[in-house]
Amino acid sequence: MPAETPATSASAPTPSTGDYYLRNIVAAPVYRVANHTPLEAMPVLGTRLGNTILAKREDLQPVHSFKIRGAFNRMAQLSEDERAAGVVAASAGNHAQGVALSGTELGIRTIIVMPRITPAIKISAVEGFGGEVLLHGDNFDEAKARAQQLAEEEGMTWVPPFDDPAVIAGQGTIGLEILQDNPGVDRVFVPVGGGGIAAGIGVLIKEINPSIQVIGVEPEESACLTAALEAGGPTDLPRVSLFAEGVAVKTIGSETFRLCRDYLDAVITVSSDEISAAMKDIFDDTRAIAEPAGAVSLAGLKRYAAQHNVRGETLVHILSGANVNFHTLRYVSERAELGEGSEAIFGVTIPESKGAFLKFSTVLGHRAVTEFNYRVGNRAGQDAAKIFVGVQLKQGRKERAAIENDLRAAGYGVVDLSDDEIAKEHVRYMVGGQPPARVNESVFAFEFPEQPGALQRFLQILGTRWNVTAFHYRSFGMDYGRILAAFEGVQGDREFQGHVTELGYPVSEVTHSPSYEFFLANS
């Protein structure tokens, strides 16, 4: 076990011993509003992986996420004067609903500051639980700053989403329930965002039974704990992906970092495709529809079990929430097969001649084709066609490699695009869009908030001074959108770079993406 540091005084807000957390987790009065959620077996996935897989169903809480536990435990400890003054929080998601419902149960006024871009469905949910919503700012940081300003000006109590001992202890009750329901578990996989649930479960389980492994799981593009472990302390990520919004945190908390560092056995990262595949696994086995953050720990369980050849064990993952935008499922459905390794996508060059399609299909044999995009060459004298093809797999990467080898052996030019994000997000919808003449273009991928005027602002800042030679945007019903745009003659243009900076959207240049070069660039 990790060595304990001296405990602080009883009135101090930052206790540090495992004993302190153990006592406070056991004593947490969360069941006034929270449910003791079941450990539900996932037999289909368990059979496939050769383990007993159990889902801790935190999506069955009244607010459809675990956040109610920490919020209520923090607010239940307020003094009479603090209750009378009310509480304030900043959140656009599950924490907001937890604070609102806790306030209604305890008779405490709650103000939730949310960014102006927050979808109406989330605002309505918070108001439905009794919270007062104040819309402020264009992002979470601006909303948080306003909430903390309100707390100072109005004498209200700020309720943080994760970096607070009482919040951590409230989330730790999940670990207590796991041990009560199945003390023989071998490993527990926990999602990591700000670190509250991972810290609470980790300290509870390790203090009671150190032989059980507790493993943290983060999305690759918002791995704030991994960054903190490498840096030796909490550090800011330059940007985070919002796909798994519930764990999209730039900086892990100080106390949650300390506990995660001391009590977790390992931390692993997973891709958005793996998270999508885990959402499908959860639906197939339980008929529950998890939000992306709610499936993060199962994605990590699957990756860890495969990497370490884990067999015959009892593995628990936390289905931490189910507050998902329905239209997000369109994106998830497209990506789940890739995340599971049961689909591959290729760019293939075939002759522009009669019978070429039939000959190509015979090379694939009896494999099922999941997608086929093709457009005849758009320049005179062109004697080859480039196709975008998806193929169903039964043996994962091994079969991917075999298909690529078979195609090359048949004389086709081929590139495996299964791991190319630009291919999966944009190029698959743009096949056949090569310019008729050579264009000196640079290609960029932008991420922007889904709010009225965001796309117009993009075009106003970047679409008037420079020639836009390619453009793709598709809405997936999320809180953010993604644009692929090509501009002519901007390489080394400082004015262009200045306008990109003014725009303020996360951006990366992808001119040398394999899928862009294969399908869209001048030959």
Side-chain angles (χ1 to χ4, degrees), residues 70-85:
F72 186 85
N73 194 46
R74 176 69 182 88
M75 293 168 64
Q77 298 180 29
L78 296 177
S79 68
E80 288 302 319
D81 287 343
E82 289 172 327
R83 293 188 184 202

PDB file of all heavy atoms in Angstrom, residues 70-85:
ATOM      1  N   GLY A  70     -21.403  12.175  -5.536  1.00  0.00           N
ATOM      2  CA  GLY A  70     -20.450  13.160  -5.035  1.00  0.00           C
ATOM      3  C   GLY A  70     -21.098  14.496  -4.745  1.00  0.00           C
ATOM      4  O   GLY A  70     -20.793  15.154  -3.731  1.00  0.00           O
ATOM      5  N   ALA A  71     -22.002  14.930  -5.625  1.00  0.00           N
ATOM      6  CA  ALA A  71     -22.665  16.215  -5.425  1.00  0.00           C
ATOM      7  C   ALA A  71     -23.478  16.208  -4.133  1.00  0.00           C
ATOM      8  O   ALA A  71     -23.415  17.154  -3.329  1.00  0.00           O
ATOM      9  CB  ALA A  71     -23.564  16.532  -6.618  1.00  0.00           C
ATOM     10  N   PHE A  72     -24.246  15.143  -3.904  1.00  0.00           N
ATOM     11  CA  PHE A  72     -25.071  15.098  -2.697  1.00  0.00           C
ATOM     12  C   PHE A  72     -24.206  15.014  -1.438  1.00  0.00           C
ATOM     13  O   PHE A  72     -24.491  15.688  -0.433  1.00  0.00           O
ATOM     14  CB  PHE A  72     -26.032  13.911  -2.751  1.00  0.00           C
ATOM     15  CG  PHE A  72     -27.008  13.906  -1.607  1.00  0.00           C
ATOM     16  CD1 PHE A  72     -28.184  14.632  -1.691  1.00  0.00           C
ATOM     17  CD2 PHE A  72     -26.733  13.214  -0.438  1.00  0.00           C
ATOM     18  CE1 PHE A  72     -29.081  14.654  -0.631  1.00  0.00           C
ATOM     19  CE2 PHE A  72     -27.620  13.230   0.625  1.00  0.00           C
ATOM     20  CZ  PHE A  72     -28.807  13.955   0.535  1.00  0.00           C
ATOM     21  N   ASN A  73     -23.162  14.202  -1.461  1.00  0.00           N
ATOM     22  CA  ASN A  73     -22.317  14.075  -0.276  1.00  0.00           C
ATOM     23  C   ASN A  73     -21.674  15.402   0.092  1.00  0.00           C
ATOM     24  O   ASN A  73     -21.564  15.754   1.268  1.00  0.00           O
ATOM     25  CB  ASN A  73     -21.239  13.011  -0.503  1.00  0.00           C
ATOM     26  CG  ASN A  73     -20.562  12.592   0.784  1.00  0.00           C
ATOM     27  OD1 ASN A  73     -21.225  12.335   1.789  1.00  0.00           O
ATOM     28  ND2 ASN A  73     -19.234  12.525   0.762  1.00  0.00           N
ATOM     29  N   ARG A  74     -21.265  16.170  -0.908  1.00  0.00           N
ATOM     30  CA  ARG A  74     -20.671  17.489  -0.638  1.00  0.00           C
ATOM     31  C   ARG A  74     -21.713  18.442  -0.061  1.00  0.00           C
ATOM     32  O   ARG A  74     -21.456  19.135   0.935  1.00  0.00           O
ATOM     33  CB  ARG A  74     -20.103  18.071  -1.941  1.00  0.00           C
ATOM     34  CG  ARG A  74     -19.548  19.490  -1.802  1.00  0.00           C
ATOM     35  CD  ARG A  74     -18.282  19.484  -0.957  1.00  0.00           C
ATOM     36  NE  ARG A  74     -17.743  20.819  -0.762  1.00  0.00           N
ATOM     37  CZ  ARG A  74     -18.088  21.652   0.222  1.00  0.00           C
ATOM     38  NH1 ARG A  74     -18.992  21.289   1.120  1.00  0.00           N
ATOM     39  NH2 ARG A  74     -17.536  22.837   0.323  1.00  0.00           N
ATOM     40  N   MET A  75     -22.887  18.472  -0.632  1.00  0.00           N
ATOM     41  CA  MET A  75     -23.904  19.426  -0.215  1.00  0.00           C
ATOM     42  C   MET A  75     -24.547  19.038   1.121  1.00  0.00           C
ATOM     43  O   MET A  75     -24.993  19.903   1.886  1.00  0.00           O
ATOM     44  CB  MET A  75     -24.952  19.571  -1.313  1.00  0.00           C
ATOM     45  CG  MET A  75     -24.379  20.235  -2.577  1.00  0.00           C
ATOM     46  SD  MET A  75     -25.465  20.142  -4.027  1.00  0.00           S
ATOM     47  CE  MET A  75     -26.862  21.103  -3.474  1.00  0.00           C
ATOM     48  N   ALA A  76     -24.594  17.753   1.420  1.00  0.00           N
ATOM     49  CA  ALA A  76     -25.174  17.309   2.690  1.00  0.00           C
ATOM     50  C   ALA A  76     -24.336  17.748   3.885  1.00  0.00           C
ATOM     51  O   ALA A  76     -24.833  17.778   5.019  1.00  0.00           O
ATOM     52  CB  ALA A  76     -25.326  15.790   2.692  1.00  0.00           C
ATOM     53  N   GLN A  77     -23.073  18.101   3.645  1.00  0.00           N
ATOM     54  CA  GLN A  77     -22.173  18.493   4.731  1.00  0.00           C
ATOM     55  C   GLN A  77     -22.124  20.005   4.956  1.00  0.00           C
ATOM     56  O   GLN A  77     -21.363  20.494   5.783  1.00  0.00           O
ATOM     57  CB  GLN A  77     -20.768  17.952   4.448  1.00  0.00           C
ATOM     58  CG  GLN A  77     -20.730  16.428   4.391  1.00  0.00           C
ATOM     59  CD  GLN A  77     -19.343  15.871   4.109  1.00  0.00           C
ATOM     60  OE1 GLN A  77     -18.342  16.483   4.451  1.00  0.00           O
ATOM     61  NE2 GLN A  77     -19.291  14.701   3.492  1.00  0.00           N
ATOM     62  N   LEU A  78     -22.944  20.766   4.239  1.00  0.00           N
ATOM     63  CA  LEU A  78     -22.960  22.211   4.405  1.00  0.00           C
ATOM     64  C   LEU A  78     -23.592  22.586   5.751  1.00  0.00           C
ATOM     65  O   LEU A  78     -24.506  21.912   6.243  1.00  0.00           O
ATOM     66  CB  LEU A  78     -23.754  22.866   3.274  1.00  0.00           C
ATOM     67  CG  LEU A  78     -23.196  22.704   1.851  1.00  0.00           C
ATOM     68  CD1 LEU A  78     -24.142  23.353   0.852  1.00  0.00           C
ATOM     69  CD2 LEU A  78     -21.804  23.298   1.731  1.00  0.00           C
ATOM     70  N   SER A  79     -23.121  23.671   6.304  1.00  0.00           N
ATOM     71  CA  SER A  79     -23.714  24.192   7.534  1.00  0.00           C
ATOM     72  C   SER A  79     -25.065  24.841   7.224  1.00  0.00           C
ATOM     73  O   SER A  79     -25.411  25.067   6.059  1.00  0.00           O
ATOM     74  CB  SER A  79     -22.776  25.226   8.159  1.00  0.00           C
ATOM     75  OG  SER A  79     -22.711  26.385   7.328  1.00  0.00           O
ATOM     76  N   GLU A  80     -25.828  25.162   8.260  1.00  0.00           N
ATOM     77  CA  GLU A  80     -27.122  25.803   8.059  1.00  0.00           C
ATOM     78  C   GLU A  80     -26.957  27.144   7.340  1.00  0.00           C
ATOM     79  O   GLU A  80     -27.757  27.504   6.471  1.00  0.00           O
ATOM     80  CB  GLU A  80     -27.837  25.986   9.392  1.00  0.00           C
ATOM     81  CG  GLU A  80     -28.353  24.694  10.004  1.00  0.00           C
ATOM     82  CD  GLU A  80     -29.314  23.966   9.083  1.00  0.00           C
ATOM     83  OE1 GLU A  80     -30.160  24.644   8.442  1.00  0.00           O
ATOM     84  OE2 GLU A  80     -29.224  22.724   8.972  1.00  0.00           O
ATOM     85  N   ASP A  81     -25.929  27.897   7.712  1.00  0.00           N
ATOM     86  CA  ASP A  81     -25.698  29.191   7.065  1.00  0.00           C
ATOM     87  C   ASP A  81     -25.347  28.996   5.585  1.00  0.00           C
ATOM     88  O   ASP A  81     -25.808  29.764   4.719  1.00  0.00           O
ATOM     89  CB  ASP A  81     -24.575  29.953   7.767  1.00  0.00           C
ATOM     90  CG  ASP A  81     -25.004  30.489   9.122  1.00  0.00           C
ATOM     91  OD1 ASP A  81     -26.226  30.554   9.385  1.00  0.00           O
ATOM     92  OD2 ASP A  81     -24.114  30.830   9.935  1.00  0.00           O
ATOM     93  N   GLU A  82     -24.527  27.994   5.296  1.00  0.00           N
ATOM     94  CA  GLU A  82     -24.152  27.726   3.909  1.00  0.00           C
ATOM     95  C   GLU A  82     -25.360  27.275   3.086  1.00  0.00           C
ATOM     96  O   GLU A  82     -25.523  27.659   1.929  1.00  0.00           O
ATOM     97  CB  GLU A  82     -23.047  26.667   3.866  1.00  0.00           C
ATOM     98  CG  GLU A  82     -21.703  27.170   4.368  1.00  0.00           C
ATOM     99  CD  GLU A  82     -20.682  26.063   4.506  1.00  0.00           C
ATOM    100  OE1 GLU A  82     -21.074  24.916   4.822  1.00  0.00           O
ATOM    101  OE2 GLU A  82     -19.471  26.339   4.320  1.00  0.00           O
ATOM    102  N   ARG A  83     -26.222  26.474   3.695  1.00  0.00           N
ATOM    103  CA  ARG A  83     -27.426  26.031   2.988  1.00  0.00           C
ATOM    104  C   ARG A  83     -28.338  27.206   2.679  1.00  0.00           C
ATOM    105  O   ARG A  83     -28.936  27.287   1.605  1.00  0.00           O
ATOM    106  CB  ARG A  83     -28.168  24.983   3.818  1.00  0.00           C
ATOM    107  CG  ARG A  83     -27.418  23.667   3.977  1.00  0.00           C
ATOM    108  CD  ARG A  83     -28.284  22.619   4.624  1.00  0.00           C
ATOM    109  NE  ARG A  83     -27.548  21.376   4.859  1.00  0.00           N
ATOM    110  CZ  ARG A  83     -28.107  20.184   5.014  1.00  0.00           C
ATOM    111  NH1 ARG A  83     -29.428  20.067   4.991  1.00  0.00           N
ATOM    112  NH2 ARG A  83     -27.371  19.113   5.212  1.00  0.00           N
ATOM    113  N   ALA A  84     -28.435  28.104   3.625  1.00  0.00           N
ATOM    114  CA  ALA A  84     -29.301  29.269   3.434  1.00  0.00           C
ATOM    115  C   ALA A  84     -28.790  30.166   2.306  1.00  0.00           C
ATOM    116  O   ALA A  84     -29.580  30.789   1.587  1.00  0.00           O
ATOM    117  CB  ALA A  84     -29.410  30.050   4.734  1.00  0.00           C
ATOM    118  N   ALA A  85     -27.467  30.245   2.156  1.00  0.00           N
ATOM    119  CA  ALA A  85     -26.869  31.096   1.118  1.00  0.00           C
ATOM    120  C   ALA A  85     -26.963  30.473  -0.265  1.00  0.00           C
ATOM    121  O   ALA A  85     -26.895  31.176  -1.279  1.00  0.00           O
ATOM    122  CB  ALA A  85     -25.412  31.391   1.465  1.00  0.00           C
TER     123      ALA A  85
END
